[in-house]
Amino acid sequence: MKVLITGGLGQIGSHIAELLLEREDEVVVIDNLETGRKEHLSPQKNLIIHIETIANRERVFSIVEGFKPDVVIHTAASYKSPDDWYNDTITNCVGGANIIEAAKAFNV
């Protein structure tokens, strides 16, 4: 199976990626490293990591179109600063909408 994981270098996303990679699924991860860490996932043959924000609509669409995942697992979320509502909203709302729209556009 081909799986795209948003927030794939975070606590939840990286554990999901590990489980899928153990099954030998193909995994593509998108993470902006605001709270995720590269060391959460070691390089592997079935793993591609994109350091990018899901708020970047063009890149999200390009990644989904190019990888053609069977499934998207959306674990990306911004909660870094209780005083930074604007940037949290960009990631959580705009980014979430980008993931949904790309999945719909490419029949995921």
Side-chain angles (χ1 to χ4, degrees):
M1 183 180 339
K2 296 172 75 170
V3 182
L4 172 67
I5 304 174
T6 68
L9 295 175
Q11 185 67 25
I12 296 168
S14 65
H15 286 292
I16 293 169
E18 287 172 344
L19 293 170
L20 294 169
L21 290 164
E22 284 177 19
R23 293 185 346 177
E24 298 187 5
D25 291 331
E26 294 179 58
V27 176
V28 166
V29 162
I30 302 174
D31 200 297
N32 66 3
L33 297 179
E34 287 207 20
T35 57
R37 302 284 173 259
K38 286 183 182 180
E39 54 271 11
H40 284 173
L41 288 176
S42 60
Q44 298 178 49
K45 80 172 174 144
N46 284 351
L47 174 65
I48 297 171
I49 297 173
H50 294 277
I51 306 304
E52 183 61 74
T53 174
I54 60 171
N56 183 336
R57 187 177 198 277
E58 183 177 306
R59 285 291 292 138
V60 167
F61 272 68
S62 175
I63 291 166
V64 173
E65 181 180 28
F67 181 53
K68 298 176 181 42
D70 300 304
V71 175
V72 172
I73 299 175
H74 179 44
T75 68
S78 183
Y79 55 88
K80 218 167 76 169
S81 170
D83 298 320
D84 190 3
W85 289 70
Y86 179 79
N87 283 312
D88 286 350
T89 300
I90 295 298
T91 297
N92 297 336
C93 298
V94 174
N98 288 341
I99 295 299
I100 292 166
E101 288 177 352
K104 286 176 61 178
F106 299 106
N107 298 311
V108 179

